[in-house]
Amino acid sequence: MTRTAYGLLMALLTLNSVIAAGLEDLKPITDWEPCAAGVWRGTIGDMKEEVRYTDLAAQSPRLEALQALPSAKFPFAAGTIRFLQTDRQEIMVRIPTDADEKLYGFGLQYDGLRKSGKILNLNVDHWAKGGGRTHAPVPFYLSSAGYGIFFNTARFLKVYAQIGNRKDSPHNPLPVDRNPMPDEKQPGRWQARPAGDAVEARIQGRGMEVLVFSGSSLLEIVQRYNLYCGGGALPPLWGLGFWHRVPARFSADQTRAEIEEFARRNFPLDVIGLEPGWMTKSYPCTFEWNRRRFPDPSGFTRELLDKGVRLNLWENPYISPAARLYKPMYALSGSHMVWLGLVPDYTLPAARKLLTEQHAQDHIAIGISGYKIDEVDGYDFWLWPDHATFPSGTSGETMRQTYGLLMQRMLYQDLFQKRNVRTYGLVRASNGAASGYPFAIYSDSYSHAQYITGLSAASLCGILWAPETRSARNGREWLNRIQTSCFSPLAMLNAWASAKKPWSYPEVTDAVRKSVELRLRLLPYLYTAFADYAFKGVPPMRAMILESGGASADQGTAIRGRLDGEANPYAQARTVERNDQFMFGPSIMVAPFYEKYATERQVQLPAGDWYDFYTGRHVGGRQKNITISAAQTGDRMPLFVKRGAVIPLLARTISNTDQAYGCELELRLYGSTKGSYELYEDDGKSFDYMKGNYSLRKIEVRKTQSGEFTYTEERIPSDGPSMFGKIKTLKVMGAQ
Ligand code: GAL
């Protein structure tokens, strides 16, 4: 948005607030308190007994990084944001919107990014059919008018996003007769849903905290949100390798044989995930090794670590009567059970201590690398009812909204951070202020199109999404799904039920292997993208609306509503969104093949010049649509690179991330005579980077007068830690 447009909008909002003074029953939030550069806090009612999501964040706000962003003003005129608090403990907040304002976000919503004209129930739940309930219903949204709003209170939130009209609102559209006489002029087309001019969001609770984030672009607003929540997660380097989860009832011997098969077939592997059968009992769980399947857990873990393979353990939090922890945890758990197991109240330090001591002794001490925390989302019939009680006094509702966060916090802080060892894992529910947690969300839903949308949706709200591969109807689908996984935060095959292996579809095995190998070759670039998430709040994979041109480039396809007494009785129009492209790191755009676009698809090129990643061919720009086929890419993921990008790759193929340390680099420059890049390096495994123990390799590539390409490189600080090897080759891609 240009400065003038922004100014105009602000003027409109001011006007809005003056007229909105007519909204008599609503009080303005007046005490907007600046809490970091570009972030303001407004409080309604009494927050003493409410839980803020930010109370559960991994780290405190990164104030310096927030300060380093361009300065920003409070984006609303005084009195614009208003609220209603009733004696029934209802709190409603109203944020006016402009007619053209587009809204995005509200968490990991797989049905699209646009949220204008929607009603959302933001409750943690297993993904069903939209409606807001999802694995991570983050109550944060972005507006094309240059701000973001975070409802920072752990309650079920119902949001009316530009839907519904107050009788005293100044911006209501004029009513239109739906069935006019032929000679009657109408002010417009009748609409089943007249445009609303506000976001109205409601909770049942004593208090509500609203955070406002400002920004000159959607990306800057997201950065502010992430930085305020403590910055993004930085996984250990091994976490970015390939993960394979074995069938639920696999033994040590079967797992060992599978790992040998990976080596024999020359397939990269970094992490093996054990599913529920590693425990003596699951659903509910004991967290204790099943010695009949795993007679020597310590020896087994060590043997794998010697091969560079880490073990990740599945668990759900519900404690079996057969567990050592059952008795001591009984009094520290809620009134209701899940799968007949106790639901510990992990807001209590004593409960945290019990679990983490057991985990430390049985798992961490022998070298377990992390966890997959299952079943913390829903559906309602699996989890505790809303009226369940917990010993800390936390309500069943707040517990539901935060259980995934509480688990992440406990495992991350009490098991790993405390030992100065990084972890990377999975969790099936998360919520606000989670950006600092190194856990990716996964789902039992399995639509490939929705999995791709998830990558964009996650990038708007500080979470990581793992579009895992489980099975496929044919080799092509298998390849396409694995390729998507390889360009996501966590590349994983989850064979817990399918018993599939990466080579289960022989006709695509080579292409599948190449796709995993490419992910590993891109490690220097990918790891730096995660460092940008940690330090600057820039998500490593990003929705296209976060790129320059962002929301204005997001047009969608409008489908006019046609009256049909059965199929569309209100003749409702709709807009079809395109969310099947996303950014991977700063300069690679990914356009996966999927579903009916299994081998051929359209790609919309954003503004600027774009190049084929593999060949360097100039493919176009300026929002041109091109068609790309699997025949053209040689069955590889369609990847497009921005003009002037410098991309560091490992110079050779590796099969485990341990081999990346010291590995020489290939540097690529795309379509330009110059470019620069800052390669981030640290030890790849500890939290020392948080104390400043990292280095940046500042690389400049340019064309000399004699027409040759050359580069310079400087490490800052010069004695900082090093990770990758020397630059071996410089490749100039595309005509200059
Ligand atoms: C599911 C989970 C799967 C797998 C399975 C094991 O709920 O989504 O990934 O772990 O449990 O029982």
Side-chain angles (χ1 to χ4, degrees):
M1 176 181 276
T2 62
R3 285 255 161 249
T4 352
Y6 194 75
L8 198 64
L9 182 94
M10 289 303 116
L12 264 176
L13 284 173
T14 316
L15 185 67
N16 197 21
S17 77
V18 173
I19 306 172
L23 308 171
E24 271 129 33
D25 53 337
L26 306 186
K27 290 194 191 127
I29 302 182
T30 47
D31 62 337
W32 288 103
E33 181 195 339
C35 38
V39 188
W40 294 264
R41 179 192 300 128
T43 307
I44 301 162
D46 183 3
M47 281 300 290
K48 271 203 298 294
E49 284 174 48
E50 299 293 334
V51 174
R52 292 173 181 85
Y53 291 113
T54 46
D55 294 340
L56 304 177
Q59 264 89 228
S60 44
R62 285 186 172 260
L63 298 177
E64 274 175 38
L66 280 158
Q67 195 69 52
L69 289 172
S71 72
K73 291 211 175 80
F74 186 65
F76 296 98
T80 304
I81 300 183
R82 295 177 160 253
F83 71 96
L84 177 78
Q85 188 172 23
T86 71
D87 48 14
R88 298 190 305 277
Q89 289 198 7
E90 270 177 313
I91 295 176
M92 188 282 292
V93 185
R94 186 174 200 272
I95 301 130
T97 55
D98 190 47
D100 303 327
E101 206 171 316
K102 293 180 193 163
L103 309 177
Y104 302 94
F106 291 119
L108 184 61
Q109 307 290 347
Y110 304 108
D111 57 355
L113 309 189
R114 287 182 174 214
K115 291 292 167 269
S116 298
K118 301 221 164 143
I119 298 178
L120 298 136
N121 281 296
L122 296 180
N123 299 14
V124 165
D125 206 339
H126 207 284
W127 167 254
K129 287 258 176 322
R133 299 174 79 108
T134 180
H135 303 285
V138 183
F140 172 64
Y141 71 93
L142 302 164
S143 160
S144 58
Y147 64 87
I149 302 281
F150 181 27
F151 300 99
N152 188 20
T153 306
R155 289 280 181 183
F156 295 150
L157 183 79
K158 186 158 184 180
V159 182
Y160 294 77
Q162 290 168 323
I163 207 156
N165 304 83
R166 280 183 65 100
K167 68 179 182 188
D168 51 1
S169 167
H171 299 303
N172 284 325
L174 288 172
V176 177
D177 184 9
R178 189 178 178 189
N179 300 296
M181 298 301 290
D183 58 352
E184 276 175 354
K185 266 203 139 191
Q186 293 295 314
R189 266 173 76 85
W190 181 82
Q191 284 184 340
R193 293 193 226 171
D197 64 346
V199 169
E200 295 185 342
R202 171 201 177 274
I203 60 159
Q204 192 102 36
R206 286 185 205 290
M208 159 95 106
E209 180 175 298
V210 182
L211 292 172
V212 172
F213 297 85
S214 185
S216 59
S217 67
L218 293 181
L219 178 60
E220 200 181 296
I221 300 162
V222 166
Q223 285 180 265
R224 278 215 167 79
Y225 169 80
N226 290 335
L227 291 170
Y228 189 73
C229 299
L234 180 59
L237 192 68
W238 57 259
L240 302 179
F242 190 71
W243 294 49
H244 178 69
R245 307 201 76 87
V246 294
R249 296 182 188 172
F250 253 32
S251 65
D253 281 344
Q254 286 168 305
T255 310
R256 192 176 278 125
E258 191 114 314
I259 295 169
E260 275 161 22
E261 196 67 3
F262 267 80
R264 205 173 62 75
R265 290 174 183 267
N266 211 8
F267 245 95
L269 179 66
D270 261 278
V271 183
I272 281 284
L274 298 182
E275 287 288 313
W278 70 269
M279 292 185 208
T280 47
K281 299 266 184 295
S282 55
Y283 291 83
C285 299
T286 58
F287 318 127
E288 293 162 27
W289 287 96
N290 179 330
R291 300 277 171 166
R292 290 170 65 196
R293 292 197 177 111
F294 294 86
D296 176 16
S298 166
F300 180 64
T301 311
R302 171 77 14 234
E303 172 193 326
L304 264 55
L305 282 173
D306 289 344
K307 293 181 181 148
V309 177
R310 267 94 183 159
L311 269 182
N312 172 286
L313 299 180
W314 175 100
E315 68 181 27
N316 72 42
Y318 314 115
I319 301 183
S320 157
R324 289 202 313 267
L325 284 176
Y326 185 83
K327 258 198 169 156
M329 204 64 104
Y330 191 90
L332 304 173
S333 62
S335 55
H336 289 66
M337 295 187 291
V338 174
W339 280 296
L340 306 176
L342 298 178
V343 182
D345 183 341
Y346 287 126
T347 66
L348 301 173
R352 263 170 91 149
K353 189 159 178 273
L354 275 177
L355 186 94
T356 49
E357 276 179 4
Q358 184 272 335
H359 277 36
Q361 197 183 341
D362 291 8
H363 316 149
I364 307 304
I366 65 170
I368 293 302
S369 71
Y371 296 90
K372 163 175 167 179
I373 313 160
D374 207 14
E375 316 289 3
V376 280
D377 40 10
Y379 296 104
D380 280 337
F381 44 74
W382 280 321
L383 295 197
W384 55 92
D386 299 345
H387 55 264
T389 55
F390 287 85
S392 61
T394 307
S395 68
E397 173 188 341
T398 297
M399 207 52 124
R400 175 73 173 265
Q401 294 294 67
T402 56
Y403 213 75
L405 280 174
L406 288 169
M407 291 295 295
Q408 292 177 73
R409 181 176 69 158
M410 173 172 58
L411 300 178
Y412 173 74
Q413 292 180 346
D414 298 0
L415 285 179
F416 294 98
Q417 207 172 24
K418 206 168 146 187
R419 289 175 174 74
N420 197 23
V421 174
R422 271 186 255 171
T423 182
Y424 200 31
L426 294 134
V427 65
R428 222 174 59 188
S430 197
N431 216 320
S435 58
Y437 288 114
F439 289 87
I441 300 173
Y442 61 99
S443 176
D444 278 344
S445 69
Y446 200 53
S447 147
H448 192 178
Q450 287 181 357
Y451 271 28
I452 297 166
T453 300
L455 288 164
S456 294
S459 73
L460 305 184
C461 61
I463 53 169
L464 300 169
W465 159 241
E468 64 184 30
T469 306
R470 292 186 171 194
S471 190
R473 282 174 297 261
N474 53 52
R476 179 57 61 177
E477 182 191 337
W478 184 249
L479 172 62
N480 290 346
R481 281 183 177 274
I482 291 203
Q483 284 180 344
T484 301
S485 301
C486 285
F487 283 87
S488 79
L490 195 149
M492 185 170 78
L493 165 50
N494 179 9
W496 75 278
S498 68
K500 292 277 193 264
K501 334 269 175 214
W503 48 88
S504 286
Y505 300 83
E507 68 275 27
V508 292
T509 296
D510 285 341
V512 166
R513 185 188 295 103
K514 281 200 184 117
S515 158
V516 179
E517 285 173 351
L518 178 58
R519 178 178 175 93
L520 292 181
R521 281 198 67 199
L522 282 167
L523 271 177
Y525 174 82
L526 180 57
Y527 193 63
T528 298
F530 269 99
D532 283 343
Y533 188 35
F535 290 89
K536 299 180 193 157
V538 178
M541 282 96 220
R542 284 190 306 289
M544 297 311 297
I545 55 162
L546 296 185
E547 293 307 287
S548 66
S552 54
D554 165 44
Q555 297 308 339
T557 312
I559 305 202
R560 232 176 129 152
R562 247 179 237 293
L563 181 66
D564 180 316
E566 288 78 48
N568 195 1
Y570 293 95
Q572 297 201 65
R574 64 196 169 94
T575 307
V576 179
E577 289 181 41
R578 283 193 61 169
N579 293 311
D580 61 359
Q581 295 171 207
F582 60 93
M583 293 301 295
F584 178 81
S587 42
I588 301 180
M589 183 177 73
V590 185
F593 292 121
Y594 66 101
E595 295 177 2
K596 66 179 176 190
Y597 313 108
T599 54
E600 190 175 293
R601 60 162 291 163
Q602 296 270 299
V603 180
Q604 193 184 23
L605 298 169
D609 280 300
W610 292 81
Y611 295 80
D612 180 294
F613 169 82
Y614 305 98
T615 62
R617 185 174 60 91
H618 178 243
V619 288
R622 283 174 226 92
Q623 293 175 12
K624 194 174 116 186
N625 269 308
I626 59 164
T627 303
I628 185 110
S629 69
Q632 281 170 296
T633 63
D635 286 335
R636 292 176 296 192
M637 172 68 103
L639 300 176
F640 304 92
V641 183
K642 269 184 204 168
R643 176 166 201 266
V646 172
I647 298 182
L649 291 87
L650 299 182
R652 65 179 179 91
T653 301
I654 57 167
S655 56
N656 179 280
T657 55
D658 284 349
Q659 297 156 12
Y661 291 90
C663 183
E664 289 183 323
L665 301 177
E666 170 184 315
L667 208 57
R668 293 189 184 178
L669 169 70
Y670 283 84
S672 179
T673 51
K674 59 176 196 275
S676 58
Y677 188 82
E678 258 184 29
L679 180 64
Y680 173 86
E681 298 189 341
D682 61 18
D683 65 11
K685 51 180 193 271
S686 79
F687 287 92
D688 292 356
Y689 73 94
M690 287 191 174
K691 296 183 216 125
N693 196 15
Y694 61 86
S695 45
L696 296 172
R697 287 166 70 173
K698 292 190 182 244
I699 300 166
E700 304 278 345
V701 185
R702 64 184 176 87
K703 196 176 187 172
T704 60
Q705 278 181 344
S706 57
E708 315 235 298
F709 280 84
T710 177
Y711 66 87
T712 55
E713 191 189 338
E714 188 192 359
R715 180 184 293 280
I716 300 172
S718 53
D719 59 348
S722 82
M723 191 170 215
F724 307 109
K726 290 201 296 279
I727 297 170
K728 185 181 175 199
T729 43
L730 169 63
K731 276 196 184 164
V732 176
M733 310 290 288
Q736 309 303 313

